[in-house]
Each structure stands twice: as C-alpha cells, then as structure tokens.
Amino acid sequence: MSLPGTVNEVLPIEEASQLGYARRVAQRLAESVGLDETAAGRVALVTMELGTNLLKHADAGVLYLRAVPGRDCQGVEVLAVDRGPGFDLGICQVDGYSTRGTQGSGLGALQRQADVFDAYSEGRGSVVMARVYPRGGARDLPLGVMHQALEGETACGDGWHLVADGARLSVVLIDGLGHGEDAEHAARAGTRAFAQAPFDSPSMLFSEMNQAMTSTRGGAVALAQFEAGQGRLTFAGIGNIGVTLLGPGKARGLVSLPGIVGAQFRKVQSFDYPDIAGQLLVLFSDGLRSRWSLDDYPGLRFRHPAVIAAVLHRDFRRGRDDVTVMAIALEALSD
C-alpha cells in the first residue's frame, strides 16, 4: 500500500449559504474516488449535517475534506473543526438531545451514516470526524493527516508519503524551504525518490533523496520506519521537522540533525526505539508550533489519530507557512 500525500480541501462555514457549496464539493470528491451513488450520497449528507452543526452550535467553523485510503478501498473523510463552547459527546449522541431546541438527531444520525466516527470536545472547541467507505468494505487505517498550504497559495511546500507492506511501515515528511511552487517542487522531488525504495536503509534513502533534491532549493526531511513484528521504530531526520513518540505516560521528541537535504548536511544518523508497538507517532512541519502536549487535552490520546491531528492543527498552526501534521498509531497497517 503506497499513499502519496494529498492536501485537505478547506471549506470555511460562516453562513448557511456556504453549505450547498460544501455539499457539492464533498459529492464530487466522493465520486472522484469511485464511491457509488449511495455512498456519495452519505458523504453529502454527513457534510451537510456537520456544516449545519457548526453554524448552530459554534456560530462558525471549518470543514476539512480529504480522500482517505482504507486497507482495501478508497473513502472520504470529513472533519468539522470549531472553537465553540464544546459539548458532552456521550449525551449528544443520544437521539432527541439538543442544546438548541432542535430535534436532536444530528450526531446519532451522523454515526449511522459514517463507517468511522469519532469526536473530541472541550472548552476550546470541538472536532468531529466522519469517514465514509463503500458499505461492507471499510477497514480503516489508524492514520490522521492535516496537510494545508499557506493561506492564499495553491502550491504546498510540504510533502509526505507513506508505504505499508504487511508488518512494515515507512513514512517520510518533507518541508521544502520557504513556500509556494519552488518549495513544492523540492518536496515532491524528495517524496518521489523515497517512493522508489521506501524500505531501503535510512542512509541509502537520504542519499537518494539528497540527489533528487539537489536541483531544487532543498528542504528538511524526517523518515520513520516501523517493524510491527519486532515493535521497533527506526528514525532519521535532517532539519527542523518535529517528531514526537507518545507512549503510556510519556512523550519523547526524536532527534534530527542540522542541515538541508539537497544542499548541505554532514551526515545522517538513525536511531532505534524498541518496544513501541501501540504507541502514537506524530510528525509535523514547522508550520506547527512545537510547544504542545496532549496532557493538556484529557482523553485526546485515546481518540482516532485523525481527531488528534485536527486538534493540534487547530490550536498550534502558526498561520504563516504551509503546515502538515501526521498522527500514526504504530501497528500493522496492511495485511
């Protein structure tokens, strides 16, 4: 399974007139990934319901849409993100409950329409995630990605690629220097080189990516390889991409060395982390502030990785650069 990086479709929801456009975008995305008419209709319904909830309960918010691969099929992810007052998820999933005097069928109906559903809510706002796959074909990946260009730009200077092969996983995140088309060109050159042989040794992969990025402005690169059978993670990084490994009761930052891949770096050094099966790996470009802790969000560590990535993106995005946040539950991602 080879997953090239794709950016999120960003749809601000500030007034009711934007809901129809969001529904049409969602339906087109569903059709583009091959969902049938029934599944595409469920995507449209989920999008409308989530957008309506943003207006009713938070006054405004953002919908993020993305094509998502399951283990054996394509689907669509819809994320609703707001900075509203929050809600009690357990109560709001009960049909008939409403905070605004409506029929109160929203979250319960959403859960029935979605193949994968999760949410997190507290005083800083809420994130609700729904994924729709072909009925009977949903085998979800424990992966969440928020991948967004700098506002006003069409090109994104961050790039990522993930490959899963049985019990092995290899993922790279690249931040091309600066932003815009030249940065995007650098990131794409690196991810293409990675995709040719994603399970080569880190030293070999960095050599190949460095060669591919030499004719570009270069960038920062983080590479992680996970062996589920052995429960071991191998990591190597050059530049300022942040990587955090979250285990029971502790979080540790993984060490990258200084330099620019495609321009200059003295060496690459890989580090092994044993016995980390079941932990959460978070990679993020410098478009996200590094001073965050899941300890400040009670219970978030146990939500779907897509919800975790969305909360971090909402609360720690700098807003002056491209930004990518990847959250990966370290387990076998494919059979």
Side-chain angles (χ1 to χ4, degrees):
M1 180 190 305
S2 182
L3 311 179
T6 55
V7 296
N8 297 80
E9 184 83 39
V10 183
L11 301 172
I13 302 296
E14 298 168 346
E15 55 185 49
S17 63
Q18 295 170 309
L19 294 174
Y21 175 72
R23 178 186 58 78
R24 292 190 294 273
V25 171
Q27 184 131 10
R28 284 198 299 268
L29 178 59
E31 292 167 353
S32 74
V33 302
L35 293 182
D36 62 21
E37 184 177 352
T38 300
R42 288 194 290 125
V43 171
L45 181 61
V46 163
T47 302
M48 284 293 290
E49 189 64 48
L50 285 174
T52 300
N53 283 347
L54 287 175
L55 294 176
K56 284 181 179 178
H57 305 296
D59 295 327
V62 182
L63 293 176
Y64 295 93
L65 277 62
R66 188 169 71 89
V68 289
R71 285 178 165 88
D72 47 15
C73 60
Q74 284 267 87
V76 172
E77 173 186 271
V78 185
L79 280 159
V81 180
D82 68 62
R83 297 183 182 275
F87 57 83
D88 185 314
L89 179 61
I91 293 176
C92 290
Q93 286 176 290
V94 177
D95 286 347
Y97 177 82
S98 172
T99 62
R100 298 295 293 268
T102 58
Q103 289 183 330
S105 60
L107 287 186
L110 276 170
Q111 209 164 5
R112 288 189 291 273
Q113 293 297 327
D115 295 289
V116 181
F117 177 88
D118 200 10
Y120 183 79
S121 184
E122 41 84 59
R124 283 162 286 199
S126 304
V127 171
V128 182
M129 182 272 291
R131 288 181 173 179
V132 175
Y133 295 101
R135 283 295 196 201
R139 294 199 300 159
D140 190 52
L141 291 177
L143 164 70
V145 182
M146 298 296 289
H147 182 45
Q148 184 179 349
L150 175 67
E151 187 173 356
E153 295 276 1
T154 56
C156 183
D158 292 350
W160 63 272
H161 200 114
L162 183 147
V163 178
D165 179 14
R168 300 187 301 169
L169 176 150
S170 186
V171 59
V172 69
L173 175 58
I174 300 178
D175 181 358
L177 290 183
H179 53 82
E181 292 183 358
D182 288 342
E184 182 180 68
H185 177 59
R188 285 184 175 178
T191 56
R192 282 195 298 267
F194 162 85
Q196 296 301 309
F199 295 104
D200 276 358
S201 68
S203 60
M204 181 66 72
L205 275 168
F206 269 86
S207 175
E208 293 162 352
M209 289 187 287
N210 183 64
Q211 183 175 356
M213 296 170 69
T214 297
S215 61
T216 75
R217 60 173 55 176
V221 178
L223 168 72
Q225 296 176 324
F226 175 60
E227 291 276 356
Q230 302 174 31
R232 185 185 72 242
L233 180 76
T234 299
F235 172 76
I238 297 292
N240 60 351
I241 289 177
V243 183
T244 300
L245 187 60
L246 294 147
K250 65 178 180 180
R252 47 183 163 175
L254 307 192
V255 177
S256 290
L257 300 180
I260 302 170
V261 179
Q264 57 182 11
F265 63 93
R266 294 181 61 184
K267 63 176 181 178
V268 62
Q269 183 176 354
S270 60
F271 301 89
D272 287 338
Y273 299 86
D275 303 321
I276 51 82
Q279 296 189 24
L280 183 76
L281 182 69
V282 180
L283 304 94
F284 53 98
S285 66
D286 68 351
L288 194 84
R289 297 194 301 275
S290 60
R291 293 185 178 276
W292 55 265
S293 172
L294 292 195
D295 291 341
D296 296 331
Y297 297 83
L300 180 59
R301 169 67 179 83
F302 305 103
R303 310 319 304 178
H304 192 285
V307 173
I308 296 172
V311 169
L312 294 177
H313 177 269
R314 180 195 67 192
D315 290 350
F316 297 97
R317 183 174 75 250
R318 295 184 189 275
R320 59 175 186 266
D321 199 357
D322 309 308
V323 60
T324 303
V325 189
M326 305 183 71
I328 307 166
L330 293 175
E331 57 187 67
L333 295 192
S334 66
D335 297 330

